[in-house]
Amino acid sequence: MRTTRALPLPALALAIATSVGQPSAMASDASHPLHDTFVLGERPFAPSSSWNTPIPPNAILEPLDWPSTARFGVAWSSYSPAVYVASDSDPIVSVEHPTSWGRPANILKIRIPINADGAPGTDGELLVIDGDAVHNFWQFRRLDAETATAQSYATTNVITGSGWGCPSPFVGAGIVATGSSQLAGLLVEAETNRGEIAHALQISIDARFAKPGHSDEAINGDGRNSNGMIQEGQRLAIPAQETMPTGLSPLGQKVFRAYQRYGAYVVDIAENVTHLRAQANAYDQPTISALQRDLARVSPSLQRVRNDQISPSSCSDVNRLHQDHR
């Protein structure tokens, strides 16, 4: 974990590589829900969000000079969030957290399933979806059925929000370095089982390749190599004309197609690896292992999207939840 502008930010360690449960072959756009309670497996966030917007046909992709030493993988069993959906039968938990991401220190009271806790690894990440809110925790520690602590916290609307934070006033939607929600771009098993991945993915870049500063809709960044290749917040993609390699796993094929249609946003840094992140409390080892092999083959084809034509997202949803949970 790093502290930038007095904000607790996770420093993702080396990903544990493995690959994800067999998704169905049916194609689906994971259409946006028409109700006010999010169902895991639906595509999160507003249809207008840049996460849910395909790469423009006229986009210019700029090749990246990935070095031969670059490593690619997937974070899954640790250093990636578990995802839980709360219900009315779950206990109300008092979660104490310090000032973070534009929010004052607080004791948050929300419903959290009894078996929910921070994922393995020092980051202890956790996502709890309750109605239309997705709560993001870093270093979450369950003390008992009704009390817990977290060292960083942010939230946003999972149905109408953009998945990004707000630069002014500064309020994070999540606890990754860019201030975006950890649900944005995460591989979620219920979603990949439904059909195609109908949104951009999230990538943590090897810290060696991350430039200082941040780009586009990111509200923060923790890159530190002035000679790096990429700023956090930038979108990467595989050129649409590139042929999919043969022999990819079912999930690897879906990731490849998503990389071509929607790309992936760089949201954080990791140590000595560039990786996707997958839901920690889902998938199985054989699926993740297969995806790991696939990513080693396809990730070097990722290029920088130059003219993304992004319209800044509205801050209304993240600011409303900011007020609601003071």
Side-chain angles (χ1 to χ4, degrees):
M1 174 187 188
R2 294 168 187 80
T3 301
T4 304
R5 300 190 208 162
L7 298 173
L9 300 176
L12 293 176
L14 177 64
I16 295 179
T18 60
S19 180
V20 186
Q22 297 292 350
S24 71
M26 78 172 194
S28 169
D29 251 358
S31 59
H32 184 68
L34 300 177
H35 43 82
D36 60 2
T37 299
F38 183 77
V39 177
L40 197 64
E42 295 172 336
R43 182 173 71 175
F45 306 113
S48 59
S49 167
S50 56
W51 289 98
N52 297 331
T53 304
I55 295 168
N58 62 342
I60 297 172
L61 271 61
E62 178 182 79
L64 294 169
D65 188 19
W66 295 105
S68 60
T69 57
R71 299 177 61 228
F72 301 95
V74 53
W76 169 57
S77 60
S78 62
Y79 301 105
S80 191
V83 184
Y84 291 88
V85 179
S87 69
D88 291 342
S89 62
D90 292 322
I92 296 176
V93 181
S94 298
V95 186
E96 185 174 3
H97 67 82
T99 300
S100 64
W101 290 106
R103 292 173 173 80
N106 192 15
I107 298 179
L108 180 71
K109 294 182 182 294
I110 60 170
R111 293 195 182 276
I112 301 178
I114 193 68
N115 60 331
D117 206 346
T122 56
D123 284 354
E125 299 147 306
L126 177 67
L127 289 172
V128 177
I129 299 168
D130 188 4
D132 65 355
V134 53
H135 303 280
N136 294 232
F137 298 101
W138 183 79
Q139 287 193 341
F140 182 92
R141 183 184 175 199
R142 191 83 175 239
L143 303 179
D144 56 42
E146 297 181 349
T147 59
T149 62
Q151 296 307 306
S152 187
Y153 167 75
T155 189
T156 193
N157 191 299
V158 70
I159 296 175
T160 61
S162 70
W164 295 100
C166 181
S168 182
F170 185 91
V171 182
I175 54 84
V176 293
T178 53
S180 54
S181 174
Q182 281 190 294
L183 188 62
L186 184 71
L187 287 176
V188 173
E189 185 177 35
E191 184 183 357
T192 55
N193 280 350
R194 285 177 68 145
E196 293 299 305
I197 301 167
H199 56 74
L201 297 168
Q202 63 165 274
I203 284 181
S204 292
I205 193 84
D206 187 326
R208 296 176 298 166
F209 309 145
K211 292 181 179 180
H214 52 89
S215 299
D216 300 321
E217 293 181 273
I219 63 171
N220 191 61
D222 59 359
R224 54 182 182 265
N225 183 1
S226 58
N227 296 315
M229 301 188 298
I230 300 163
Q231 276 190 329
E232 287 160 314
Q234 289 183 324
R235 179 147 64 164
L236 309 182
I238 292 177
Q241 67 272 20
E242 186 161 328
T243 301
M244 181 188 295
T246 60
L248 297 183
S249 69
L251 184 60
Q253 293 176 40
K254 292 183 179 184
V255 167
F256 184 90
R257 288 190 288 267
Y259 273 164
Q260 287 190 311
R261 186 177 182 193
Y262 294 94
Y265 285 102
V266 178
V267 301
D268 216 323
I269 61 173
E271 298 301 327
N272 302 313
V273 64
T274 294
H275 61 228
L276 287 179
R277 292 201 293 175
Q279 180 185 354
N281 59 332
Y283 296 115
D284 57 41
Q285 184 72 52
T287 304
I288 296 293
S289 295
L291 181 60
Q292 167 71 17
R293 293 189 293 270
D294 296 339
L295 291 172
R297 297 175 63 192
V298 306
S299 299
S301 296
L302 287 167
Q303 300 183 13
R304 183 186 295 108
V305 180
R306 269 301 188 193
N307 56 331
D308 211 1
Q309 301 176 351
I310 292 174
S311 299
S313 298
S314 168
C315 291
S316 59
D317 289 295
V318 69
N319 280 335
R320 179 179 65 78
L321 284 170
H322 169 51
Q323 297 295 328
D324 290 348
H325 292 101
R326 281 191 174 186

